[in-house]
Amino acid sequence: MALLLTGLLSLPASAGTWQHEHGTITLDKAPERIVALNWAATEALLLLGVTPVGVADRDGYDVWVNQPALPAGVPNIGTRVAPSLEAIAELNPDLIVTSSEMAPASGLLASIAPTYAISVYSEDNRPFEKATEMLITLAEMLGREDRANAILADIEQTLEAQRRRLEESGMTDRPVALVNFLDDRHVRIYAPNGLYQSTLSALGLENAWPRQGNFWGFSVVGLEAIAPYRNSRIVVISPVLPGLAGTLANSPFWTYLPPIARNEVYQVDAVWPFGGVFPVKRLAIMLTDALLEGGSDNVR
């Protein structure tokens, strides 16, 4: 027994075996060279203070995700749907983080390095809970549990603080429709099964759109689909197409919508809707600020 305990105590804190979507992964020590094949995984590693040695769609991360910032010089290893196995192998990783979208290549990835597969976005998933699971599991592998706990505590405190701001200002009285404009007549509207719902629920805001979306948590609809929700506020997530404000200003249909007539159109900067835990915090702050600053009758 003494020998057994001595052996266990001598193991690194991050050694262990973890279940994932393609089986199990066993690590003898904390990984140091990690490749991330999706942006949610990239985000989680950066939050934990670890810079991946390679990421998929590296340049796109800077445009669409942006925060937490990805240091310059991190190699790109191809696209998120078709990464280069050769480029990954050349980086000599000791951990690859992927999702079920890469299931056909899981065996090839595992032949390069231990591969942890977790899908934040899939049928019937709750994205924020799944992203939290990914963050905690990666923290266990890296021996950074305290940091993960601090990140989650900070997010919870931020959400509570923003909720109090809205409640004190009486801004939780109307449902909110979160949209991205695709053109002057169609929007991507964020549904109750998406990541953004975690922000709305935590802020005490009702989602104006009552229907389930695809497994990414949105639906593509025409503006006429929003018209029945007369009591809602419209929150537009940037970016918008050049010239859209002028087109909408001359649209009888847009100007007819009740939120437009009430100057209850609000706009926030771009925030990645398919990420991990961090966008929930970012959106909460930006959404609260926008609602308290006041609305207008158009996009900007």
Side-chain angles (χ1 to χ4, degrees), residues 20-300:
H20 67 101
E21 291 174 6
H22 299 159
T24 59
I25 178 174
T26 299
L27 299 174
D28 297 326
K29 62 179 182 177
E32 297 178 356
R33 299 181 59 80
I34 307 174
V35 168
L37 298 188
N38 60 66
W39 290 341
T42 302
E43 172 206 312
L45 291 168
L46 293 171
L47 288 175
L48 292 170
V50 174
T51 300
V53 296
V55 300
D57 281 326
R58 190 254 180 272
D59 292 342
Y61 182 94
D62 289 342
V63 173
W64 295 104
V65 185
N66 190 253
Q67 294 185 24
L70 183 62
V74 176
N76 180 61
I77 48 82
T79 68
R80 287 168 290 160
V81 295
S84 167
L85 296 176
E86 294 80 5
I88 295 171
E90 287 176 2
L91 292 171
N92 193 29
D94 45 21
L95 178 66
I96 300 169
V97 186
T98 186
S99 66
S100 61
E101 292 174 305
M102 292 297 297
S106 59
L108 295 173
L109 291 170
S111 70
I112 297 172
T115 300
Y116 171 58
I118 181 169
S119 301
V120 175
Y121 299 89
S122 63
E123 204 69 39
D124 299 325
N125 266 2
R126 296 169 62 88
F128 185 74
E129 286 79 356
K130 204 68 177 177
T132 300
E133 177 189 336
M134 177 173 64
L135 181 73
I136 291 173
T137 302
L138 288 173
E140 291 173 353
M141 293 177 181
L142 293 162
R144 301 192 177 208
E145 295 95 331
D146 288 347
R147 183 155 183 155
N149 291 334
I151 291 165
L152 295 173
D154 174 67
I155 291 173
E156 183 177 359
Q157 291 164 9
T158 300
L159 293 172
E160 290 177 358
Q162 303 313 308
R163 180 180 183 134
R164 286 195 299 270
R165 292 176 67 201
L166 290 174
E167 289 176 341
E168 290 168 0
S169 302
M171 291 297 291
T172 57
D173 60 328
R174 292 184 188 275
V176 169
L178 291 171
V179 303
N180 285 125
F181 271 89
L182 302 178
D183 56 36
D184 62 335
R185 290 299 302 268
H186 298 88
V187 296
R188 176 189 288 168
I189 191 164
Y190 291 94
N193 61 312
L195 181 68
Y196 286 164
Q197 184 62 43
S198 296
T199 297
L200 294 178
S201 297
L203 295 180
L205 294 169
E206 179 185 351
N207 193 334
W209 187 250
R211 305 171 192 170
Q212 295 291 97
N214 57 24
F215 69 75
W216 293 103
F218 70 88
S219 298
V220 174
V221 300
L223 286 177
E224 67 278 1
I226 303 175
Y229 306 102
R230 303 175 60 85
N231 196 41
S232 64
R233 294 183 170 100
I234 297 176
V235 176
V236 179
I237 301 170
S238 299
V240 298
L241 298 171
L244 180 64
T247 303
L248 292 178
N250 293 306
S251 166
F253 185 82
W254 172 252
T255 54
Y256 162 81
L257 294 174
I260 284 71
R262 294 194 303 264
N263 288 324
E264 288 188 333
V265 177
Y266 308 80
Q267 194 160 339
V268 299
D269 291 338
V271 56
W272 185 239
F274 315 120
V277 297
F278 192 68
V280 171
K281 172 185 173 179
R282 270 194 84 208
L283 179 61
I285 296 170
M286 293 192 298
L287 178 55
T288 301
D289 287 346
L291 290 174
L292 296 184
E293 286 169 6
S296 67
D297 62 355
N298 206 344
V299 301
R300 60 175 187 270

